[in-house]
Amino acid sequence: LDDVMPSTVIVDFFEDDIFRAGLTSFSANKPYFTLQGGKLIEHNAPVPRTSGRPSELSTAVGLLGYSYFFVWAMDRLGLSNWWQFLDSNSTQAGNDNVAVSCALLQRLQRELARRHIRFLFVMEYSGWLRNQPTKRPAGVVKVLACAAKARIETVDLWPDLQAIYRRSYADYIKLWVVYEGNGRMLIGHMSGLGNALVAR
């Protein structure tokens, strides 16, 4: 902030960011926070170098990933990204990820207000909502409520996504990158069209 002196800071979450606030590692070690007496306590700073030990990874990734034969066989079967689909390749912090997300937003809000910088919070959603978006994930609802209570200026993409879905599913699905993986359709991050929607 001191170097750039921006007039506006935009922070963009998607729902997995709230979930990941409760992890000490996500494929590799990462910084994380806990709350003690309402105060944010930072951990893994600086972030420890990831050693690849099984304790930092899921059991399957930690053990099978060291097997040349297993990795070779997966490559031959066209399953070279097998490890990306093991949901357990992360380590829980045992904190309240929603409370930490709220506390971090409020801390940034205070710092920006002190510097007279506008703060804009954007709530985005990932491609797993390719089926009809019926309701926001519970963690998102709580973080949005927290932002509203703190009077943080917020742009929530949910109503826009619902409107586009109702108008045209073909247009809706184009908002994310779609690709084939392990014999099934996968939805990645937002496409150029999706990012343009966020910007508008």
Side-chain angles (χ1 to χ4, degrees):
L1 292 175
D2 288 335
D3 291 341
V4 179
M5 290 302 294
S7 60
T8 303
V9 168
I10 302 172
V11 172
D12 183 301
F13 278 17
F14 79 114
E15 79 282 347
D16 262 8
D17 293 325
I18 299 168
F19 166 73
R20 292 172 190 174
L23 303 177
T24 67
S25 67
F26 185 74
S27 298
N29 290 321
K30 60 181 282 297
Y32 69 98
F33 292 84
T34 56
L35 283 167
Q36 295 179 16
K39 292 183 65 175
L40 282 164
I41 309 297
E42 187 177 16
H43 304 272
N44 276 3
V47 179
R49 188 177 183 88
T50 301
S51 67
R53 290 189 301 268
S55 61
E56 293 175 337
L57 307 166
S58 69
T59 303
V61 174
L63 297 177
L64 297 176
Y66 281 99
S67 167
Y68 176 82
F69 174 75
F70 182 82
V71 173
W72 175 84
M74 291 295 102
D75 287 346
R76 295 284 296 216
L77 292 169
L79 303 175
S80 56
N81 292 332
W82 60 273
W83 51 271
Q84 291 185 1
F85 304 101
L86 297 175
D87 293 334
S88 57
N89 64 340
S90 57
T91 309
Q92 298 288 329
N95 60 3
D96 183 335
N97 59 318
V98 170
V100 165
S101 297
C102 288
L104 287 168
L105 283 173
Q106 291 166 346
R107 186 180 75 171
L108 181 58
Q109 179 192 35
R110 289 192 298 271
E111 181 63 23
L112 295 177
R114 185 176 70 81
R115 296 166 181 259
H116 307 289
I117 297 172
R118 181 186 178 197
F119 179 26
L120 181 61
F121 172 47
V122 179
M123 191 68 236
E124 199 178 319
Y125 299 86
S126 59
W128 65 267
L129 290 165
R130 61 186 176 277
N131 299 319
Q132 184 174 4
T134 53
K135 64 178 183 177
R136 295 173 180 87
V140 169
V141 172
K142 292 176 182 177
V143 169
L144 286 172
C146 164
K149 185 176 180 181
R151 298 184 179 178
I152 295 172
E153 188 178 359
T154 301
V155 173
D156 180 17
L157 252 64
W158 189 261
D160 301 273
L161 292 176
Q162 286 187 313
I164 294 167
Y165 179 89
R166 285 192 294 268
R167 186 174 69 243
S168 167
Y169 181 76
D171 289 342
Y172 176 79
I173 203 68
K174 289 177 186 174
L175 298 174
W176 291 277
V177 176
V178 180
Y179 59 99
E180 287 288 327
N182 290 357
R184 57 182 176 154
M185 185 178 79
L186 301 170
I187 309 293
H189 288 276
M190 278 198 144
S191 64
L193 288 173
N195 289 325
L197 171 67
V198 177
R200 286 196 301 274

